[in-house]
Amino acid sequence: MTIKDKRLDEELFLKEREEVLKAWPTGKEVDFDEAVAYHKSIPEERIMVNTLMKADQVGKTLIQPRAGVALPEEHIGLLQYLREEGEADLLPTTIDSYTRQNQYREAENGIKESREMGRSMLNGFPAVNHGVKVCRQVNEAVNVPVQVRHGTPDARLLAEITLAGGFTDFEGGGISYNIPYAKSVAIEDTIRYWQYVDRLVGYYQEHGVNINREPFGPLTGTLVPPSISHSVAIIEALLAARQGVKYLSLGYGQNGNLIQDVAAIQSLRELARDYLDKFGYDDVMVTTVFHQWMGGFPQDESKAYAVISWGAAAASLSRATKVIVKTPHEAMGIPTKEANAAGLKTTKQIVNMLQDQGLEQTHNMDEEKEMIIRETEQILNRVLELGDGDLVQGTVRAFSAGVMDIPFAPSKHNAGQVLPARDNQGAVRYLNFGNLPFSHDVKEYHREKLSERGQVEDREVDFQMVIDDIYAIGKGMLVGRPR
Amino acid sequence: MAGKNDDNKPTVVLGVIGADVHAVGNQILEHALREAGFDVANIGVMVSQKEFVSAAIETGAEAIWVSSLYGHGEMDCRGLREKCIEAGIGDILIYVGGNLVVGKQDWEKVRKLFLDMGFDRVYPPGTLPEEAIADLEEDLKSRGVL
């Protein structure tokens, strides 16, 4: 069956739900009407949409960590600690990697081993295995909204369990949780799975329950040029809106050049509003998410705090609605709760100090914003052309033609031809355009920026430059200058 | 024993084990190994132990390089050496590197854990490709391959 950008037929959707809920025994715990009634009993301060909308109105940047461990009691303790000690405004429940691949048996084994070993053997919270009741215990144990964060190509069951479990925000999307998170799942399949998730959110919405949806902004987290991540964010926003989603947070991963990072959040907001309105979704609300640097971190904790601080500053100055926070243990993997709280407090201090300061809208910033908007429009126009107006088919064809192409992604359905590199000021530019549908002058702009760096460093603009840039921040620099 | 490729370059099987999808380091390692004159059978992300072993047999590889960045390495890597022994390539070099366990743990303990599992070399996060490549060259020389 060819998948189109159409709202799922209700009868077929409800039939599919029955199948989805049978995939693991905890699916039996899901009762939609009861879940709607439960959501209506959730106090204001634990509903994500309320908190995000309020922050957005006053231009405040909220802070949110990543966190998840195998066992419920430990997970609850972790969230409470990050709220109380870390001063987190919003909390996450990060899902483990087995659950992300629908490997519920392996997750079960991880839960068992975690109990035996007395430490978490999983890198997140296996929400499907724990089921609806335990999810509600998690939400009820804290006084702020909790979001499900993961990386699951087929998250239908996870969405069913966690939404019935009282979570009010769900991350992911058919592109952003496929290309950076899977090896061989077809894009058409993941778009279809995420139509289901979005339809489920829309279904709650129609029953009076506000649930926020957040496409995953940073993608592979490695020097992703803003116009690539913006294109994905806007497509996923439009696909979600089609299924009845009314509240969206669109994200972007910090690249490290302040002007480019601020311009990226500004342009993301404008582009999203523009496209949603153009498609007739003017009642869909958009907030923004800024991810602190997602690439390699310095091992040294003081240096890591500096990277965290720079991300906090860029997030605040860009007026992003929330910032996702890194920790001083980033280079070592999953942090202790103390390190996680430390990253949060560092961020909180900076966000508070910058809340009443603005950044002057300079010529450079306008130029940067203009370029991001032009590039994104060129990509999205070609996607729509390729789909004869249909966004799903356009997206599928765009990936197979390399018109959309995400650098360093593991998926075999991604062309992998695009290569980014930093220019002489550290902004991320295109070194290889692959098949991105950019106009001649856009390409010239990037070539000039990179050749300027090549001249300063007296070397060729090539793959070695890319490698140097990937390691640079971990080694104490932004631009990977020759050693 | 030299590689079974026509060019006689030693072959390294490269992959990210388990349900892990971290692809960036994998691509850089491939590039670095090729630059250093190795043949690389890069089997990418989300690789099972069985796939590592099959790829090593198919390519006549001298070494298997396992990456694990997401913290499940301890569960994913257990038994890989035994699988190689069962398949008749028990003496193949196996290296592992990355964020191998959940949380910040004492590195020497982590290293010992993986050496006891039968890995020849174990690398902490942040290791540059050059370091592991130099070790590989040394190990291959001592085996008379290089």
Side-chain angles (χ1 to χ4, degrees), chain A residues 97-98 123 181 183 299 301 334, chain B residues 43 45 72 76 103-104 125:
Chain A
S97 289
Y98 291 141
N123 61 0
Y181 282 102
K183 189 173 177 175
Q299 303 266 337
E301 294 192 12
I334 293 167
Chain B
I43 47 178
V45 301
H72 291 187
D76 293 338
K104 189 170 181 169

Side-chain angles (χ1 to χ4, degrees), chain B residues 3-120:
Chain B
K4 285 175 189 148
N5 302 291
D6 300 338
D7 55 17
N8 271 341
K9 290 181 190 169
T11 299
V12 179
V13 171
L14 188 64
V16 187
I17 200 164
D20 194 343
V21 294
H22 284 94
V24 181
N26 171 263
Q27 293 173 35
I28 292 172
L29 281 177
E30 174 177 347
H31 177 81
L33 279 164
R34 286 193 198 285
E35 289 282 296
F38 290 90
D39 275 328
V40 183
N42 188 357
I43 47 178
V45 301
M46 293 180 69
V47 178
S48 67
Q49 293 190 358
K50 216 172 124 193
E51 289 170 301
F52 273 109
V53 176
S54 311
I57 293 170
E58 275 167 35
T59 59
E62 276 74 20
I64 296 175
W65 277 21
V66 179
S67 302
S68 178
L69 278 298
Y70 72 152
H72 291 187
E74 192 175 342
M75 287 190 287
D76 293 338
C77 289
R78 238 183 258 147
L80 177 59
R81 174 61 74 188
E82 288 73 13
K83 281 211 173 56
C84 289
I85 295 169
E86 282 163 28
I89 53 166
D91 62 347
I92 191 166
L93 289 168
I94 316 180
Y95 292 9
V96 64
N99 299 322
L100 297 174
V101 291
V102 173
K104 189 170 181 169
Q105 295 180 35
D106 177 48
W107 170 247
E108 273 315 307
K109 279 190 194 146
V110 174
R111 193 168 160 268
K112 184 166 181 317
L113 181 73
F114 281 81
L115 288 176
D116 289 347
M117 280 186 215
F119 287 86
D120 296 286

Side-chain angles (χ1 to χ4, degrees), chain A residues 207-226:
Chain A
H207 288 75
V209 177
N210 288 344
I211 289 174
N212 194 63
R213 277 275 295 112
E214 180 184 331
F216 177 62
L219 303 174
T220 52
T222 308
L223 306 175
V224 178

Side-chain angles (χ1 to χ4, degrees), chain A residues 305-319:
Chain A
Y305 282 119
V307 178
I308 290 167
S309 302
W310 188 228
S316 180
L317 292 171
S318 73
R319 292 286 173 266

Side-chain angles (χ1 to χ4, degrees), chain A residues 355-419:
Chain A
Q355 189 182 343
D356 304 311
Q357 302 186 43
L359 202 58
E360 193 190 344
Q361 194 72 28
T362 59
H363 169 74
N364 279 356
M365 209 189 293
D366 282 337
E367 181 182 281
E368 198 62 53
K369 202 167 131 186
E370 175 63 20
M371 285 308 297
I372 298 171
I373 289 174
R374 281 180 61 200
E375 291 164 19
T376 308
E377 285 175 345
Q378 289 178 5
I379 294 173
L380 291 174
N381 285 346
R382 182 62 62 84
V383 169
L384 285 166
E385 255 172 52
L386 285 172
D388 298 319
D390 182 80
L391 198 52
V392 172
Q393 284 309 308
T395 302
V396 171
R397 288 171 197 157
F399 270 100
S400 69
V403 162
M404 291 191 76
D405 190 352
I406 298 171
F408 310 109
S411 172
K412 69 176 188 193
H413 301 293
N414 186 61
Q417 296 300 309
V418 167
L419 274 184

Side-chain angles (χ1 to χ4, degrees), chain A residues 273-340:
Chain A
R273 187 70 274 154
D274 209 37
Y275 274 90
L276 284 165
D277 290 352
K278 227 177 357 195
F279 274 70
Y281 307 125
D282 48 1
D283 60 341
V284 172
M285 308 303 281
V286 176
T287 50
T288 53
V289 187
F290 187 95
H291 291 251
Q292 291 177 350
W293 173 244
M294 294 285 287
F297 255 65
Q299 303 266 337
D300 181 275
E301 294 192 12
S302 300
K303 292 182 179 182
Y305 282 119
V307 178
I308 290 167
S309 302
W310 188 228
S316 180
L317 292 171
S318 73
R319 292 286 173 266
T321 319
K322 74 173 180 183
V323 53
I324 308 285
V325 174
K326 285 282 183 178
T327 83
H329 285 182
E330 178 59 26
M332 304 300 294
I334 293 167
T336 59
K337 67 182 196 302
E338 291 81 9
N340 209 335

